[in-house]
Amino acid sequence: MTELNQQTLTDLQAGAEDAIGSAETLDALGAVEAEVLGKKGSLASLKKQLGGLEPEQRKEFGQLVNTTKSAIEAAAEARRSELSQVARMAQLEDERLDLTELRDEVKRGHYHLVTQARDRLEDVFVGMGFQVAEGPEVETAWYNFEALNIPDWHPARGSFDTIFVDLGEPEQVMLRSHTSPVQIRTMENQEPPIYIVAPGRTFRTDVADATHLPAFNQIEGLVIDKGITLGDLSGTIDAFVKAFFGHDVKTRLRPSYFPFTEPSAEFDISRADGSWLELGGCGMVNPQVLRNCGIDPDEWQGFAFGFGIDRLAVMRYQLDDIRELVNNDVRFLRQF
Ligand code: FA5
């Protein structure tokens, strides 16, 4: 084999490797392969010269051609896998769906006003160290009334305008008419000290008007600890109202009556026009209620409150009529 032939092969390999390295696409790579390794390619035409060589040289040169071919094939294969990877990445980039680009087109929903008010209430009370408790919406007379010191002969029972459920003994199962049963369930299951709020749906036979709904929401609060006074109750309500509405809103307590608190009060908040809106009832937990739950009233005292979340939402969002909350008019709800 002449020096020239060997050099020819070395040059061919170097040239092919250069061309392979600079092929930027799979198609370009294919073209280089056809040019060098194809049937009419440069290696094939060199191979044709093998016939004209001496047998010894033919063998030696033949091996060299094969090694060169393998080296070029390997270089092409390596480049192919690089280019495939690049092509795959480009495809992925192309197919990527950027959801943030849709931001302006999508009509986003949001939580209902009452849910927003309830979440905010929970945040305020959790910030004050309360835990959030829950109870069922269908209750028994024990939890909704009796344990709360409202026996069945008690006139206050009528004031709750209860919706009874046709289950068991007459008037023993009902849709809860307030969230106060959660007080009982909590005291039955938890040792004092207790600091809970319990938001939830409540139901009464009330006819809907500007300030009433038959299905509405209350949030109950219960604190049982040592040395709790009416001052703690009043301070808690004031702190909550200021956190919820801001510092311009005033609160006032008016003497009232609930069988499960003694003394009892109703509390109002001031409206922009100077009038007052009744938000809820409250008082010091009646010792009889503590006893009903196995808590010693000589050792523990507490206060409780319950107010209407829908009415809070009416105040917070300055609505004229509580029924707006349940009309499900999207044009109205969208504003908040
Ligand atoms: C009660 O339900 C007592 N359980 C509150 C309580 C809890 C007192 C703990 C003492 C200790 P009342 O019936 O007043 O009380 O209802 C409380 C609040 O629920 C009302 O002030 C009002 O804000 C709201 N509420 C009552 N009925 C409706 C209704 N039909 N629609 C909307 N809100 C209502």
Side-chain angles (χ1 to χ4, degrees), residues 112 213 215 310 322-329:
H112 188 274
L213 292 171
D310 311 77
I322 201 168
R323 286 169 293 193
E324 296 278 24
L325 295 172
V326 291
N327 284 343
N328 277 342
D329 183 338

Side-chain angles (χ1 to χ4, degrees), residues 42 103 108 116 176 192 303:
S42 31
R103 190 178 300 161
R108 278 164 191 255
Q116 291 181 38
R176 65 177 174 192
F303 65 77

Side-chain angles (χ1 to χ4, degrees), residues 160 178 180 183 204 206 211-213 216 218 220 258 260-261 266 278-282 304-308 311 322:
F160 283 98
H178 50 172
S180 298
Q183 287 186 34
R204 292 188 193 175
D206 290 348
T211 52
H212 292 83
L213 292 171
F216 57 103
Q218 286 189 340
E220 194 77 12
F258 296 100
F260 34 96
T261 45
E266 239 143 2
E278 176 203 306
L279 263 196
C282 59
F305 56 79
F307 40 76
R311 288 203 189 162
I322 201 168

Side-chain angles (χ1 to χ4, degrees), residues 66-136:
N66 285 339
T67 335
T68 307
K69 189 173 176 227
S70 305
I72 296 172
E73 279 172 350
E77 210 32 64
R79 184 70 183 147
R80 172 165 291 107
S81 91
E82 270 172 31
L83 290 174
S84 307
Q85 176 78 359
V86 171
R88 176 89 190 111
M89 294 307 288
Q91 187 188 4
L92 284 180
E93 184 62 25
D94 233 33
E95 288 172 357
R96 192 170 65 105
L97 186 60
D98 183 355
L99 294 176
T100 59
E101 283 170 8
L102 298 174
R103 190 178 300 161
D104 293 338
E105 291 160 35
V106 173
K107 295 259 179 291
R108 278 164 191 255
H110 59 68
Y111 285 125
H112 188 274
L113 276 69
V114 173
T115 311
Q116 291 181 38
R118 199 192 65 199
D119 285 354
R120 175 94 187 104
L121 280 167
E122 285 183 13
D123 285 352
V124 168
F125 280 110
V126 167
M128 288 164 78
F130 285 71
Q131 289 184 330
V132 178
E134 281 187 332

